[in-house]
């Protein structure tokens, strides 16, 4: 199987341009560089099988944070990618329309499950989209799946209020809370497809530490509000910096910015020489995507430009 194009890939960059991992500024992903503080994790979260009470606490926190409507359920999973890979198997093979270009695991999942491309069946939309940040319209007729992995920076745009029936919402914990390594994702929708997904995932799909940290973070509404404000200010700062170097803003969210440049590969190489890693796209040679630097790492990016 060919490796699919994603952000990350820092090992290959280090192999080519040298340096130590800690010295590299990885801006190739859209992960919050100031993660939610883990705090203390109880010893039992590591040593015992995840218990029902911890799972119910996480589910209740998710339902409250995302204002999940009555009648719709919430299912926690070991990362959004685990859900994407399994979702096509919930229904008989048919046609799927995916709003592209977008996160390529959606196409891979449906193609791998034998679905055909075209209208008249299911619809998948990443909302806001990765990499250009466009927003998807309200659902039409038929099965609609919204990937809201980056929507927590703009909760007012969420389609969660429409969850249920033929509308499913995917949420990623790793992006906004900056804890991608925790591997935690959520599926919101009608109870019946969630029950089938739960059967696919098997018992104890979410680790004890992820249950504990996830619930704590989702219950912390103050941190979320402060983080949205900080991300917005940092995104504006990044835009000003990159535009000053000759790029044009082409879209994005406050977790990642997309820029139009003359030759993205040349930009990526120049930044890499200063151990700053960026994201380019094989289908759009003029697109450069950058995540946000951590507060103490802006000087490295400024020097690279």
């Amino acid at each position: 199987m060919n490796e699919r194009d994603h952000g990350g890939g820092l090992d290959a960059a280090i192999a080519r341009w040298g340096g130590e991992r800690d010295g590299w500024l990885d801006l190739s992903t859209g992960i919050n560089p100031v993660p939610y503080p883990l705090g203390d994790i109880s010893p039992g979260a590591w040593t015992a099988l995840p218990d029902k009470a911890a799972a119910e606490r996480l589910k209740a926190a998710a339902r409250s944070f995302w204002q999940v409507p009555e009648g719709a359920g919430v299912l926690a999973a070991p990362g959004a990618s685990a859900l994407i890979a399994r979702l096509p198997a919930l229904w008989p093979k048919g046609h799927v329309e995916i709003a592209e270009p977008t996160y390529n695991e959606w196409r891979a999942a449906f193609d791998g499950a034998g679905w055909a491309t075209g209208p008249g069946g299911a619809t998948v939309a990443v909302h806001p989209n990765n990499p250009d940040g466009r927003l998807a319209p309200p659902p039409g007729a038929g099965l609609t799946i919204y990937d809201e992995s980056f929507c927590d920076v703009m909760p007012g745009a969420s389609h969660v209020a429409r969850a249920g029936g033929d509308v499913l919402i995917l949420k990623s914990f790793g992006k906004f809370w900056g804890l991608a390594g925790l591997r935690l994702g959520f599926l919101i929708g009608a109870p019946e497809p969630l029950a089938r997904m739960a059967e696919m995932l098997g018992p104890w799909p979410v680790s004890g530490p992820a249950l504990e940290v996830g619930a704590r973070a989702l219950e912390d509404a103050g941190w979320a509000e402060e983080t949205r404000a900080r991300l917005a200010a940092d995104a504006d700062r990044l835009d000003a910096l990159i535009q000053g170097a000759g790029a044009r803003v082409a879209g994005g969210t406050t977790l990642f910015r997309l820029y139009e440049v003359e030759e993205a590969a040349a930009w990526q190489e120049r930044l890499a020489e200063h151990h700053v890693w960026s994201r380019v796209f094989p289908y759009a040679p003029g697109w450069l995507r950058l995540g946000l630097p951590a507060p103490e790492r802006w000087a490295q990016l400024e020097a690279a430009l």
Side-chain angles (χ1 to χ4, degrees):
M1 184 180 72
N2 292 329
E3 187 173 346
R4 290 187 280 275
D5 175 62
H6 293 298
L10 195 56
D11 289 336
I14 293 169
R16 179 173 175 185
W17 284 282
E20 301 295 327
R21 177 173 286 270
D22 288 347
W24 275 78
L25 176 58
D26 186 1
L27 304 183
S28 68
T29 67
I31 297 169
N32 183 352
V34 184
Y36 186 80
L38 289 173
D40 294 329
I41 298 174
S42 62
W46 297 104
T47 59
L49 287 171
D51 63 25
K52 184 176 180 180
E56 289 300 319
R57 178 190 171 193
L58 176 65
K59 186 186 296 185
R63 178 175 289 278
S64 175
F65 185 85
W66 287 307
Q67 299 179 36
V68 175
E70 259 188 75
V74 177
L75 177 69
S81 294
L83 292 167
I84 293 171
R86 291 168 172 81
L87 272 166
L90 290 183
W91 304 276
K93 297 173 189 176
H95 285 78
V96 62
E97 208 169 5
I98 300 174
E100 292 177 304
T102 193
Y103 182 55
N104 58 29
E105 288 300 326
W106 283 108
R107 173 61 59 199
F110 277 93
D111 284 354
W115 286 61
T117 299
T123 301
V124 175
V126 179
H127 171 80
N129 189 49
N130 174 14
D132 59 10
R134 71 178 182 271
L135 299 179
L143 173 65
T144 303
I145 302 170
Y146 290 106
D147 179 346
E148 293 195 353
S149 291
F150 291 100
C151 203
D152 291 307
V153 298
M154 50 175 70
S158 174
H159 289 297
V160 165
R162 299 179 170 93
D166 287 330
V167 178
L168 286 166
I169 311 289
L170 186 86
K171 291 285 189 180
S172 168
F173 184 82
K175 311 296 192 305
F176 179 68
W177 284 272
L179 295 171
L182 201 66
R183 306 313 304 141
L184 181 60
F186 298 86
L187 190 63
I188 300 170
E192 198 271 336
L194 265 61
R196 296 203 306 273
M197 178 61 75
E199 186 69 20
M200 286 184 191
L201 292 172
W204 314 294
V206 178
S207 72
L211 291 173
E212 191 168 307
V213 173
R216 190 183 304 160
L218 287 164
E219 291 164 353
D220 193 345
W223 184 90
E225 284 300 319
E226 292 170 5
T227 295
R228 290 186 189 109
R230 177 185 55 77
L231 290 171
D234 284 355
D236 287 344
R237 179 179 177 182
L238 184 61
D239 282 352
L241 185 63
I242 304 302
Q243 287 178 103
R248 184 181 68 82
V249 177
T253 72
T254 57
L255 281 167
F256 62 84
R257 309 299 294 153
L258 184 68
Y259 300 104
E260 188 80 41
V261 296
E262 189 171 338
E263 190 180 347
W267 274 71
Q268 184 179 59
E269 182 153 349
R270 186 171 82 247
L271 291 169
E273 288 170 354
H274 295 268
H275 295 174
V276 175
W277 194 228
S278 57
R279 177 77 192 277
V280 297
F281 301 89
Y283 56 79
W287 279 5
L288 177 78
R289 198 191 70 187
L290 295 174
L292 301 177
E296 70 278 8
R297 303 295 293 274
W298 282 91
Q300 185 173 353
L301 176 58
E302 290 165 358
L305 294 168

